[in-house]
């Protein structure tokens, strides 16, 4: 609050308290001439303070309404919505997120928080031309990811292969134990010439696809925030 306005409001409150004290001291009796003069003085002071308070408020409002004048060739750029930095995307729990998705898909109720990490409802892809969805907020998807790194999970058993696109090519060894070609090992006699062999292989191309899990959730389960979080994650 403006310091001058605060001081005026305090003085007004003191004057009102003084007027109330005069009435309390008088009780049921009529005010004396001295009390009447003091009461009228406080009343006049309050009227003057009210005028000053109104002027201060008008000045404050005028300052707020002054338009910002920018120099020529000034550019104003909007930045990234800081709410997108929130790992929960504004949801209080996994259940809150599930309820918002259900309301959007079933009843068409738009939740502003879902637009962070949302896919378009119609976009071209390799499998379906009418697809879309909502990414689980990082705070809750982290729990899903941790399950894939546990000791009994399949992911730690795999080799990591960095790629720059959505396809990769790798050599494939076509040698079989029962075949007669490919790399072979022989027992050689002393000073005998080694038998030359060469690998038999081909190039395979692998197209990467997204791994997705669709989890059905009943109305009763999604109403229980703790239970649905443990069930989905």
């Amino acid at each position: 609050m403006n310091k001058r306005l605060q001081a005026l409001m305090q003085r007004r409150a003191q004057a009102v308290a003084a007027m109330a004290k005069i009435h309390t001291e008088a009780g049921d009796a009529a005010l004396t001439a001295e009390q009447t003069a003091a009461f009228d003085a406080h009343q006049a002071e309050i009227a003057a303070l009210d005028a000053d308070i109104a002027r201060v408020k008008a000045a404050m409002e005028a300052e707020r309404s002054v338009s910002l004048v920018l120099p020529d060739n000034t550019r104003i750029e909007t930045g990234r919505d800081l709410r997108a930095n929130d790992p929960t995307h504004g949801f209080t729990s996994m259940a809150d997120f599930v309820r918002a998705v259900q309301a959007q898909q079933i009843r068409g109720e738009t939740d502003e928080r879902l637009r962070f990490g949302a896919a378009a409802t119609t976009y071209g892809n390799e499998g379906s031309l009418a697809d879309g969805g909502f990414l689980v907020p990082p705070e809750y998807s982290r729990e899903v990811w941790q399950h894939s790194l546990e000791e009994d999970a399949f992911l730690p058993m795999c080799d990591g292969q960095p790629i720059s696109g959505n396809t990769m090519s790798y050599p494939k060894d076509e040698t079989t134990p029962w075949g007669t070609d490919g790399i072979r090992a022989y027992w050689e006699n002393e000073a005998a010439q080694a038998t030359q062999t060469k690998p038999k292989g081909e190039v395979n191309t692998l197209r990467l696809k997204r791994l997705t899990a669709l989890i059905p959730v009943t109305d009763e389960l999604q109403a229980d925030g703790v239970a649905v979080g443990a069930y989905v994650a």
Side-chain angles (χ1 to χ4, degrees), residues 81-96:
D81 195 328
L82 294 180
R83 290 179 297 177
N85 296 334
D86 182 5
T88 66
H89 288 177
F91 295 100
T92 57
S93 64
M94 173 67 82
D96 191 19

Side-chain angles (χ1 to χ4, degrees), residues 12 52 59 112 115 120-121 142 150 154 163 171 187 215:
R12 189 183 190 281
D52 287 340
E112 180 69 14
R115 70 184 184 88
T121 54
R142 186 180 300 112
E150 293 177 352
F154 179 70
I163 62 173
W187 294 106
I215 304 175

Side-chain angles (χ1 to χ4, degrees), residues 110-200:
T110 302
D111 192 315
E112 180 69 14
R113 297 170 296 179
L114 287 176
R115 70 184 184 88
F116 302 112
T121 54
T122 54
Y123 70 99
N125 59 66
E126 297 172 353
S128 173
L129 295 180
D131 207 346
F134 304 98
L135 297 179
V136 177
E139 181 66 24
Y140 310 122
S141 63
R142 186 180 300 112
E143 300 177 8
V144 179
W145 175 252
Q146 287 174 350
H147 289 302
S148 66
L149 299 177
E150 293 177 352
E151 183 177 354
D152 297 332
F154 179 70
L155 184 59
M157 304 179 186
C158 301
D159 294 331
Q161 180 65 45
I163 62 173
S164 58
N166 69 337
T167 59
M168 61 177 294
S169 298
Y170 59 94
K172 178 182 179 183
D173 187 5
E174 291 293 325
T175 303
T176 60
W178 56 86
T180 59
D181 51 8
I183 298 177
R184 298 293 169 182
Y186 298 95
W187 294 106
E188 299 288 352
N189 295 325
E190 183 179 358
Q193 183 178 359
T195 303
Q196 179 179 344
T197 61
K198 64 179 180 179
K200 178 185 178 183

Side-chain angles (χ1 to χ4, degrees), residues 93-113:
S93 64
M94 173 67 82
D96 191 19
F97 170 74
V98 171
R99 283 192 292 267
V101 173
Q102 182 190 54
Q104 171 70 35
Q105 298 298 329
I106 297 178
R107 298 188 296 274
E109 299 176 0
T110 302
D111 192 315
E112 180 69 14
R113 297 170 296 179

